[in-house]
Amino acid sequence: MIIIIFVPMIRLSRPGRIGFDLVFAFMLFSGAVATIRQNIFMYLVVGLTVLEFAADLIVEFNSSIGHLGWDMALRVSGLAILVVMTLRHTFRPGRVSVHRVMGG
């Protein structure tokens, strides 16, 4: 909700943008640990999260390479893997409960 509503309304300072990137990285990391059961995919998302955060820091302190978009590509790929794994976890066979629906 913060990402969709509040961030576009304000201009973030450098510490605010770094904090925002850190929150996003923590969100990807915690989502990977919570939903991904296969170690290879969890390590992939954690690795992409670390690379994405490093890329955001590089672009933050050297904005001349920010136009290439590789930091955003890493962010989208990590989020896409996490979304697919969450959907697989939500729609797996078995009993559907309130907790499963709310978690998905």
Side-chain angles (χ1 to χ4, degrees):
M1 205 154 110
I2 291 172
I3 294 170
I4 295 171
I5 296 173
F6 296 115
V7 172
M9 293 171 40
I10 58 172
R11 284 186 50 98
L12 293 176
S13 62
R14 178 174 279 177
R17 288 189 302 267
I18 292 172
F20 174 71
D21 293 338
L22 188 62
V23 167
F24 185 78
F26 181 72
M27 181 192 71
L28 284 180
F29 175 75
S30 63
V33 171
T35 61
I36 299 175
R37 299 291 179 234
Q38 298 150 338
N39 286 338
I40 189 77
F41 289 119
M42 186 173 69
Y43 293 140
L44 179 67
V45 171
V46 169
L48 280 173
T49 300
V50 170
L51 284 174
E52 182 270 325
F53 184 66
D56 284 339
L57 288 178
I58 291 170
V59 168
E60 183 64 39
F61 290 105
N62 187 2
S63 60
S64 64
I65 60 174
H67 68 281
L68 297 175
W70 55 285
D71 56 329
M72 188 59 71
L74 287 170
R75 183 179 291 181
V76 168
S77 61
L79 195 58
I81 291 171
L82 186 62
V83 165
V84 168
M85 290 297 127
T86 302
L87 289 174
R88 283 186 62 197
H89 188 68
T90 302
F91 293 115
R92 72 182 188 274
R95 192 173 71 89
V96 177
S97 66
V98 173
H99 299 289
R100 189 174 188 179
V101 172
M102 288 173 56

